[in-house]
């Protein structure tokens, strides 16, 4: 289910000079903001939760997920180079699964690690906030990568749709419409963070059992459908 050659090519595509610079902007900004906030306010648990929840989990993680998830396969489909990959004796689910693993790894490194560093800067992991948000970033990285990899497989405008989901649906509608928060990867990961941290600093509109089921279902369903779409794309090309 995992092909090292496909993985190497995908890593090379995702971590090219220009894309790596884009991936590194938000994590660097988070750390700089955290250092400034700590210098101005001192170690404050509520402030730490607000910064990590409002910027790291709500903005940085989904945007990095969009870049890594769509970038793992979208450009190959757009420029037609995916044909060369599909001509190899590889099962289509293997290609998708390998690219998903790479997208998850890249998203985790560029989101969870900076989140932990920022949390330690903000309040030294007081009330386990830094660890809780780091785990939430890890969990959401998996679901976002699967969703945006699927978008990269089915649409030439995957980045646009991914940003609409991340910034409009989750950030805008999620803050205004309670029902929208139920269908939010951010809220599902917050349920995990709430369990890790305890207390009332981190809250979620979705219970942990429901959030866990939805995270698994969305990840598995998106991965399966991406594999199916890639298989149908191959058949269409052969015809």
């Amino acid at each position: 289910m995992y092909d090292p050659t496909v993985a190497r090519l995908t890593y090379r595509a995702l971590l090219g000079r220009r894309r790596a610079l884009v991936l590194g902007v938000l994590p660097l900004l988070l750390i700089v903001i955290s250092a400034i906030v700590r210098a101005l306010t001192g170690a404050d648990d509520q402030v730490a939760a607000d910064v990590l929840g409002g910027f790291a989990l709500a903005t940085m993680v989904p945007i990095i997920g969009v870049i890594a998830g769509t970038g793992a396969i979208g450009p190959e489909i757009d420029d037609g180079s995916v044909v060369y990959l599909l001509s190899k004796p590889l099962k289509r689910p293997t290609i998708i699964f390998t690219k998903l693993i790479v997208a998850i790894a890249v998203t985790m490194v560029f989101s969870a690690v900076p989140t932990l560093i920022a949390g330690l800067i903000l309040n030294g992991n007081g009330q386990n906030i830094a660890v809780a948000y780091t785990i939430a970033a890890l969990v959401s990285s998996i679901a976002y990568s699967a969703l945006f990899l699927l978008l990269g497989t089915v649409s030439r405008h995957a980045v646009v749709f991914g940003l609409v989901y991340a910034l409009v649906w989750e950030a805008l509608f999620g803050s205004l419409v309670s029902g929208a928060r139920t269908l939010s990867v951010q809220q599902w990961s917050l349920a995990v963070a709430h369990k890790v941290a305890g207390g009332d600093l981190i809250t979620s509109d979705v219970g942990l059992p429901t959030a866990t089921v939805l995270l698994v279902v969305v990840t598995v369903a998106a991965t399966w459908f991406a594999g199916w779409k890639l298989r149908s794309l191959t058949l269409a090309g052969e015809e």
Side-chain angles (χ1 to χ4, degrees):
M1 291 296 293
Y2 180 86
D3 186 82
T5 302
V6 174
R8 184 174 65 254
L9 294 173
T10 307
Y11 275 119
R12 185 180 301 172
L14 286 179
L15 299 178
R17 182 177 302 176
R18 185 170 59 181
R19 195 178 295 272
L21 288 175
V22 174
L23 285 169
V25 168
L26 287 177
L28 180 60
L29 182 59
L30 171 64
I31 293 173
V32 171
I33 290 174
S34 300
I36 294 173
V37 170
R38 175 62 185 266
L40 294 176
T41 66
D44 187 299
D45 294 341
Q46 183 62 62
V47 171
D50 291 342
V51 172
L52 295 180
F55 184 83
L57 199 63
T59 302
M60 183 186 71
V61 181
I63 289 179
I64 291 176
V66 169
I67 296 171
T70 60
I73 195 169
E76 293 177 337
I77 293 178
D78 290 342
D79 63 20
S81 61
V82 71
V83 173
Y84 298 99
L85 182 60
L86 297 178
S87 65
K88 304 300 181 182
L90 291 171
K91 294 181 178 179
R92 305 315 176 237
T94 297
I95 296 173
I96 289 296
F97 184 76
T98 301
K99 288 182 173 294
L100 174 62
I101 294 300
V102 173
I104 289 173
V106 171
T107 306
M108 285 182 172
V109 169
F110 282 90
S111 61
V113 174
T115 298
L116 177 60
I117 295 172
L120 294 175
I121 292 173
L122 286 164
N123 75 334
N125 196 37
Q127 297 197 48
N128 220 26
I129 290 175
V131 171
Y133 275 108
T134 299
I135 293 175
L138 291 171
V139 169
S140 59
S141 292
I142 299 173
Y144 281 133
S145 296
L147 279 173
F148 298 138
L149 179 65
L150 170 61
L151 280 178
T153 306
V154 302
S155 173
R156 291 182 178 272
H157 307 288
V159 174
V160 175
F161 290 136
L163 291 175
V164 167
Y165 172 79
L167 301 180
V168 178
W169 177 265
E170 291 206 339
L172 181 59
F173 284 97
S175 63
L176 300 176
V177 183
S178 58
R181 290 194 288 268
T182 305
L183 300 176
S184 166
V185 174
Q186 178 188 340
Q187 290 297 321
W188 304 341
S189 60
L190 280 173
V192 178
H194 172 72
K195 178 65 176 179
V196 174
D200 298 324
L201 286 176
I202 303 176
T203 59
S204 173
D205 291 344
V206 183
L208 182 60
T210 301
T212 302
V213 170
L214 289 173
L215 283 166
V216 172
V217 169
V218 165
T219 301
V220 172
T223 304
W224 176 85
F225 191 74
W228 177 84
K229 179 61 179 179
L230 193 63
R231 187 182 298 114
S232 66
L233 176 67
T234 305
L235 292 175
E238 291 172 351
E239 291 173 356

